[in-house]
Amino acid sequence: MSEFKYPDENDRLTNELITREYDGAYWEGSEELVLSRAEEFLLETYGRDALSKMDLLDLGCGTGRLIPRFAALFHSVVGIEPDSGRCAQAGQLIREKGIGNAQVLNTDSGQYLKDNPSRRFGAILCSHVFQHISHDITIGILRDMEDLASDDAAFIITTTFVSGDDNEYSTESFTDGSRVSRITDYRGFMEAMGKQGTLPVCRFSRGWMEKLLKGFGLCPEYFRAFHFEGEHDPASDEGNNLDPEKLGKARDAAYFCRRSLEAGSAGDGRISGKVCYMQFYSYDGNKTDLSPFLSITEDEAAKALRADFDTVEGFLYGAGLHFPCERRFIPDLGLSLEGVPIASSHAVMTVYKEVNVCQISVCLKVEDTTAENFIYLHHIQCSPAENFASGGRRLSIPGACETLLKRYGFYSPALGETGYVLEVNRFGDRIHALGLSENEMKCFYGMLTGDEGYVHVPVQLARDRMDQSWSSRDFVKAVVFNNSYLLINLNRDDTFRDYLARQYGFQYHYYSGINDYFTMDASTAGVNHGLFFSIETGLIVKTATDRMLEDRPDLDKPQGLILSDEIKDNKKRRIAMIKMLNRVETVSISELGELDTLVLRQLNTSERVESIRNLLELLESDLDLLYSTTTNRMVTFLTILGLLFALIQVIVGIIPLF
């Protein structure tokens, strides 16, 4: 029997809220509309016959007030309630109404799952539970819900609501016989936990709640706010949901969810993840008009992509990126490739004006596929469009990049460096990125290098490649090999959810809020944990330095008499090289994090910097020589000119004598 006791005995505080601050008839009618819509959602999703064969779990059923309604739809209803007194009330209600297909148990979701490890439900109802418990317990309940649900289950969740981006916290209690609500933070919310007569309340923002649900593979298909302050007609609720000002007066919200397609089955040996093709181009900064690029407008999808970058940049690079840039996001490229399940595609275009480099990342999201498909995606990075004209294949990364470069007017772009980034979010039933078996190590090696014969490579070779790595969590590992990058980020499994639970508890306790960095699942491969930005730094340095080394002066060409053009050209090169060295040296390995350092070392950027230093020394020597040669030639020229003048004067002096 559970020892938990709900702090608001007989719902005194809730009833006082309804009586004092709301129209009671409206309160009931507003909830009735939501419950009716929930029934419609279930019937539209499954049909009445299918529902009659399914089982419903009412998680945190309280006094059982919703059980009679849903027992009429389902084959059976199981209610679980950790408060023994409320559970007894629910049991009495069932008996009084003669409901034969329902039972209530005095337990919690974790214990029920432990006692019934193979039990699965076609639908789960969780009504007004999350707002009165800590976030880490909420995480645990969501994990249990995921494990207790069948593969095609539906979820009906109601909880408190607040408009805006942040949750709001308060405590409710009786003072001198009157209900008093006090605004607090998460710490105060937690301190009130377990105190009888004091009800902690969290009002959830929609964004916060939906992000949390999606983290557990629940895809919200319907949202409805209800219980609007000052309202009397339930029929107004629908219009109030569409009015931002009125939406701010809603107290509660409902989320109707299905299993997300991204969640899939972790035991089928399939792989899900994202691919990012990073192409770096040098462009003519004097002739390229950046205004078409800078004037790209962003819709909501593009803003969502930008939000991922802003979150990581703000958290990891608060002082600013190593190379300042302008980014634009182009969602929904519509790329496809026969036989490869590409769920979505988009592009990220970035311009680094200081070094005249443009970067285009073509990004794919791939679901439920094989290692061979990811290896194939590695192969096609630099293949031209004509290689994909047969068999219905329609994917050319260079072609997509060229289209974007032309569209936004980049002058004479020259392809410099390329990078292939693969982020694996699900790998069969593996929950840790560390401690890989030999076969797993070979498979990851094949996806990292594009080696289709990975099954037959020596284990030591795969281990050597995979050892060039960085990790900060047991579910995360970044591996670097030349210009190929693998981020194992198993954020769809239990280990990550345990991490989330701890982060929610810690961040809200100490900071009264959680940074999106800890909970995000970025749409672009490598953005999580900052790998994308480390690659970006390294490949900009490599592209810019390679271009500079290619533009070295021809020190053996014949020079003119005065050498002014040669001196002018070499002066320009010298100034450009000094600027580049100064810029690159600010990206000193000693000042970078471990991941940045790993990427830069693999790219041998230090050797390129040394080459520029050597070339700069040659250029300085050549300039000294040119100046010296120019001076000597000028002296020689003036000397000869002086002799000519002297000779002319002598001749002019001699002529009168004749």
Side-chain angles (χ1 to χ4, degrees):
M1 180 177 290
S2 172
E3 297 180 359
F4 171 79
K5 185 171 177 60
Y6 186 62
D8 183 18
E9 188 173 4
N10 297 322
D11 294 311
R12 289 181 62 215
L13 288 164
T14 301
N15 291 332
E16 183 76 7
L17 167 71
I18 298 171
T19 301
R20 298 293 184 184
E21 299 185 22
Y22 288 85
D23 177 332
Y26 163 74
W27 181 277
E28 292 183 7
S30 183
E31 183 177 63
E32 173 62 28
L33 286 177
V34 169
L35 294 174
S36 296
R37 184 66 189 91
E39 291 180 6
E40 292 172 9
F41 171 73
L42 293 168
L43 289 168
E44 290 168 0
T45 303
Y46 301 106
R48 190 172 298 276
D49 289 343
L51 284 179
S52 67
K53 299 180 178 68
M54 292 166 57
D55 300 322
L56 170 76
L57 173 65
D58 186 351
L59 198 157
C61 66
T63 59
R65 66 188 183 89
L66 298 182
I67 289 177
R69 182 184 201 113
F70 287 96
L73 282 176
F74 287 88
H75 172 260
S76 73
V77 175
V78 174
I80 60 175
E81 172 54 50
D83 184 316
S84 58
R86 293 168 73 84
C87 183
Q89 288 180 268
Q92 182 178 352
L93 177 67
I94 290 172
R95 290 190 295 273
E96 288 176 353
K97 290 186 175 292
I99 302 172
N101 64 336
Q103 63 171 324
V104 291
L105 303 171
N106 179 213
T107 186
D108 57 36
S109 59
Q111 187 60 49
Y112 182 84
L113 180 61
K114 184 177 179 180
D115 295 340
N116 303 272
S118 60
R119 184 70 191 273
R120 297 295 179 265
F121 292 88
I124 295 180
L125 170 67
C126 185
S127 178
H128 294 292
V129 172
F130 294 159
Q131 66 260 36
H132 302 310
I133 58 179
S134 65
H135 295 328
D136 55 342
I137 295 178
T138 297
I139 294 285
I141 291 176
L142 283 167
R143 184 187 304 118
D144 296 338
M145 288 170 63
E146 189 181 24
D147 291 338
L148 286 164
S150 61
D151 289 342
D152 61 345
F155 303 80
I156 307 297
I157 298 168
T158 64
T159 187
T160 48
F161 170 78
V162 65
S163 62
D165 298 326
D166 300 319
N167 296 343
E168 289 185 1
Y169 301 91
S170 63
T171 60
E172 298 180 0
S173 59
F174 281 104
T175 301
D176 297 329
S178 299
R179 173 185 167 275
V180 176
S181 178
R182 295 180 176 87
I183 300 298
T184 185
D185 56 13
Y186 186 72
R187 185 177 302 177
F189 171 81
M190 288 297 296
E191 289 173 352
M193 206 69 62
K195 294 182 179 179
Q196 288 302 306
T198 300
L199 185 65
V201 179
C202 171
R203 293 179 66 176
F204 296 101
S205 73
R206 180 179 179 179
W208 195 96
M209 181 55 67
E210 289 190 342
K211 182 179 293 185
L212 185 65
L213 295 173
K214 288 176 182 177
F216 287 87
L218 309 186
C219 181
E221 294 189 1
Y222 177 82
F223 166 84
R224 178 71 172 265
F226 60 108
H227 288 157
F228 289 85
E229 183 182 348
E231 188 59 73
H232 299 281
D233 183 4
S236 300
D237 282 4
E238 185 170 355
N240 291 342
N241 271 268
L242 303 176
D243 186 329
E245 183 176 349
K246 291 183 178 179
L247 188 62
K249 296 183 178 181
R251 183 175 180 85
D252 295 317
Y255 302 84
F256 303 166
C257 309
R258 294 289 306 282
R259 286 263 199 196
S260 169
L261 293 176
E262 296 179 3
S265 169
D268 57 9
R270 309 287 278 181
I271 306 170
S272 294
K274 306 157 193 144
V275 170
C276 178
Y277 302 95
M278 301 178 74
Q279 313 279 95
F280 286 77
Y281 298 85
S282 295
Y283 66 89
D284 190 330
N286 295 320
K287 296 182 179 180
T288 298
D289 177 12
L290 293 177
S291 56
F293 167 78
L294 296 174
S295 63
I296 296 174
T297 57
E298 296 183 352
D299 59 13
E300 291 304 313
K303 290 177 182 177
L305 295 171
R306 179 179 292 280
D308 292 341
F309 280 75
D310 289 345
T311 296
V312 178
E313 286 181 26
F315 186 82
L316 295 179
Y317 299 92
L321 295 173
H322 299 303
F323 289 92
C325 63
E326 289 282 352
R327 294 196 205 279
R328 296 296 183 269
F329 300 85
I330 299 94
D332 304 323
L333 292 181
L335 300 180
S336 63
L337 182 60
E338 185 183 33
V340 180
I342 298 175
S344 63
S345 58
H346 66 272
V348 182
M349 291 187 69
T350 311
V351 169
Y352 317 90
K353 292 189 284 187
E354 283 187 342
V355 289
N356 291 338
V357 171
C358 171
Q359 185 251 126
I360 301 179
S361 292
V362 176
C363 311
L364 312 177
K365 192 173 188 179
V366 184
E367 297 292 343
D368 197 30
T369 190
T370 63
E372 281 69 22
N373 268 341
F374 281 112
I375 292 171
Y376 179 52
L377 286 172
H378 196 311
H379 287 185
I380 69 172
Q381 175 159 9
C382 296
S383 299
E386 53 265 30
N387 287 357
F388 300 93
S390 61
R393 295 173 176 171
R394 303 185 301 280
L395 180 58
S396 168
I397 303 306
C401 292
E402 288 170 12
T403 298
L404 292 171
L405 287 167
K406 290 177 182 177
R407 181 184 301 170
Y408 299 112
F410 285 89
Y411 187 83
S412 63
L415 181 62
E417 293 299 320
T418 64
Y420 175 81
V421 190
L422 168 60
E423 178 179 336
V424 175
N425 300 124
R426 184 166 63 88
F427 188 79
D429 57 2
R430 168 161 281 279
I431 61 174
H432 294 122
L434 310 179
L436 302 175
S437 70
E438 291 184 356
N439 287 336
E440 289 171 332
M441 194 172 295
K442 286 183 178 183
C443 186
F444 278 122
Y445 158 83
M447 293 190 291
L448 170 68
T449 62
D451 185 351
E452 69 277 9
Y454 66 90
V455 174
H456 303 288
V457 302
V459 173
Q460 189 57 47
L461 174 61
R463 183 175 289 113
D464 289 344
R465 297 289 184 265
M466 294 294 291
D467 279 347
Q468 302 298 320
S469 64
W470 165 91
S471 178
S472 66
R473 301 286 184 269
D474 54 4
F475 57 86
V476 172
K477 182 175 183 177
V479 188
V480 180
F481 176 65
N482 292 334
N483 282 23
S484 296
Y485 308 87
L486 170 67
L487 178 63
I488 306 172
N489 181 28
L490 302 178
N491 58 3
R492 299 186 187 172
D493 293 294
D494 287 344
T495 300
F496 179 71
R497 282 154 201 155
D498 290 337
Y499 166 79
L500 270 185
R502 185 166 182 80
Q503 283 294 348
Y504 275 114
F506 182 88
Q507 298 291 331
Y508 272 87
H509 179 72
Y510 289 102
Y511 301 106
S512 296
I514 190 166
N515 191 299
D516 286 344
Y517 175 82
F518 296 106
T519 64
M520 70 184 299
D521 181 15
S523 298
T524 304
V527 171
N528 279 60
H529 304 283
L531 177 61
F532 183 100
F533 303 96
S534 298
I535 299 168
E536 185 176 48
T537 298
L539 293 185
I540 292 170
V541 170
K542 196 173 179 184
T543 299
T545 52
D546 282 353
R547 180 183 61 201
M548 187 155 288
L549 291 171
E550 290 170 3
D551 192 34
R552 67 177 66 220
D554 184 358
L555 302 180
D556 297 325
K557 71 177 182 179
Q559 280 109 20
L561 177 65
I562 305 302
L563 305 175
S564 60
D565 290 341
E566 288 84 351
I567 292 175
K568 189 183 296 183
D569 290 344
N570 281 356
K571 272 186 174 181
K572 288 181 179 179
R573 290 191 180 95
R574 176 176 173 273
I575 292 170
M577 286 185 182
I578 291 173
K579 283 183 177 179
M580 174 56 67
L581 274 179
N582 289 339
R583 196 71 196 84
V584 170
E585 285 176 345
T586 62
V587 190
S588 166
I589 288 180
S590 63
E591 297 173 359
L592 299 175
E594 293 180 12
L595 184 54
D596 290 330
T597 301
L598 173 65
V599 171
L600 285 170
R601 284 177 177 166
Q602 281 289 306
L603 292 173
N604 297 319
T605 54
S606 58
E607 295 180 8
R608 284 170 168 74
V609 170
E610 191 60 34
S611 296
I612 290 180
R613 285 199 184 98
N614 294 336
L615 182 58
L616 187 58
E617 289 178 6
L618 289 174
L619 194 56
E620 296 278 5
S621 299
D622 189 54
L623 272 172
D624 289 342
L625 178 61
L626 288 174
Y627 277 121
S628 175
T629 301
T630 300
T631 302
N632 291 338
R633 291 184 181 182
M634 185 63 70
V635 169
T636 302
F637 175 74
L638 292 175
T639 300
I640 294 173
L641 191 61
L643 289 174
L644 286 174
F645 274 115
L647 180 60
I648 291 170
Q649 287 178 342
V650 170
I651 294 173
V652 170
I654 294 175
I655 288 175
L657 297 177
F658 293 95

